Amino acid sequence: MNLTAKSVCTIENGTSTTTIEKLILLAQFFEVSTDCLLGLKDEP
């Protein structure tokens, strides 16, 4: 993914954004939906 732990942290706390492509890769890595990562759903 080419993301550092710090990059993921800044995305999580809202101080940085990411691309759609990286959002999809994060969802696949954590085995959750993109809706879950975006806070639109509570369930993966």
Side-chain angles (χ1 to χ4, degrees):
M1 266 187 289
N2 200 23
L3 288 173
T4 64
K6 184 175 181 176
S7 295
V8 174
C9 184
T10 60
I11 293 167
E12 286 177 327
N13 66 27
T15 58
S16 179
T17 60
T18 189
T19 64
I20 296 295
E21 291 82 7
K22 286 185 181 174
L23 178 67
I24 292 167
L25 290 173
L26 284 168
Q28 291 171 339
F29 178 81
F30 290 112
E31 298 181 355
V32 297
S33 69
T34 54
D35 283 351
C36 182
L37 289 178
L38 294 170
L40 302 174
K41 274 177 59 175
D42 291 334
E43 300 174 4

